[in-house]
């Protein structure tokens, strides 16, 4: 297992975050500095429940990380959930990015079977390969 993971980067959560959900709204408990790094996917209006059922919050949460990367031409990275993911609380969407230099963001589904989700600093979020 260690041999496998030494070729990957496990991106950790960089601050403590508490997410409080109810049917009509969502609130975040964290240092006020980090609130600007939390948002929702707005490129397309995605109705999560149409695709994933009522067990998930109605919108896709997007964490904008403080990390920036630059990819050379004809290279790409893949971002995906860990094999031992935390789908009982959240599920990060997998994706592939190529030929760009940009910040890393993590779109994720939030499992609303729990009204409060806590993600601690240092907790693994996604794998980058």
């Amino acid at each position: 297992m260690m041999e496998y993971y030494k070729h990957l980067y496990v991106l950790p959560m960089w601050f403590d975050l508490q997410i409080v959900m109810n049917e009509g709204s969502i609130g975040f408990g964290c240092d006020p500095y980090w609130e600007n790094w939390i948002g929702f996917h707005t490129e397309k209006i995605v109705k999560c429940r149409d695709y994933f059922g009522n067990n998930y919050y109605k919108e896709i949460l997007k964490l904008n990380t403080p990390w920036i990367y630059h990819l050379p031409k004809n290279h790409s990275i893949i971002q995906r959930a860990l094999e031992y993911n935390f789908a009982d609380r959240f599920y990060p969407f997998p994706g592939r990015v190529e030929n760009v230099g940009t910040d890393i963001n993590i779109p994720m589904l939030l499992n609303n079977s729990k009204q409060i989700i806590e993600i601690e600093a240092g907790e693994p979020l996604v794998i980058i390969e």
Side-chain angles (χ1 to χ4, degrees):
M1 192 122 170
M2 294 301 290
E3 192 66 25
Y4 172 71
Y5 279 101
K6 80 178 189 181
H7 299 287
L8 308 171
Y9 180 74
V10 177
L11 192 141
M13 184 62 171
W14 60 102
F15 65 96
D16 291 331
L17 174 63
Q18 183 182 63
I19 303 166
V20 180
M21 294 177 285
N22 62 44
E23 187 56 39
S25 65
I26 190 166
F28 303 106
C30 62
D31 184 306
Y33 174 79
W34 295 113
E35 287 180 2
N36 293 329
W37 298 69
I38 306 167
F40 292 94
H41 238 281
T42 58
E43 287 79 18
K44 295 180 182 177
I45 301 299
V46 178
K47 295 182 177 153
C48 295
R49 292 179 180 156
D50 290 349
Y51 300 102
F52 304 107
N54 290 329
N55 291 335
Y56 293 97
Y57 188 69
K58 62 185 179 179
E59 297 178 63
I60 296 172
L61 181 76
K62 183 168 77 169
L63 295 176
N64 296 302
T65 75
W67 294 286
I68 298 172
Y69 63 91
H70 176 74
L71 294 173
K73 188 174 182 175
N74 299 322
H75 286 75
S76 64
I77 65 167
I78 294 173
Q79 177 178 295
R80 61 183 174 82
L82 287 79
E83 284 78 9
Y84 55 92
N85 70 52
F86 304 94
D88 65 324
R89 295 182 293 149
F90 61 88
Y91 179 78
F93 282 99
R96 178 174 167 252
V97 180
E98 60 184 27
N99 298 330
V100 297
T102 187
D103 60 329
I104 297 173
N105 65 62
I106 305 170
M108 61 176 58
L109 287 174
L110 298 173
N111 187 332
N112 69 1
S113 64
K114 300 179 180 183
Q115 288 190 320
I116 298 175
I117 296 174
E118 293 193 18
I119 306 173
E120 295 180 8
E123 189 172 326
L125 293 175
V126 294
I127 289 177
I128 296 182
E129 53 182 305

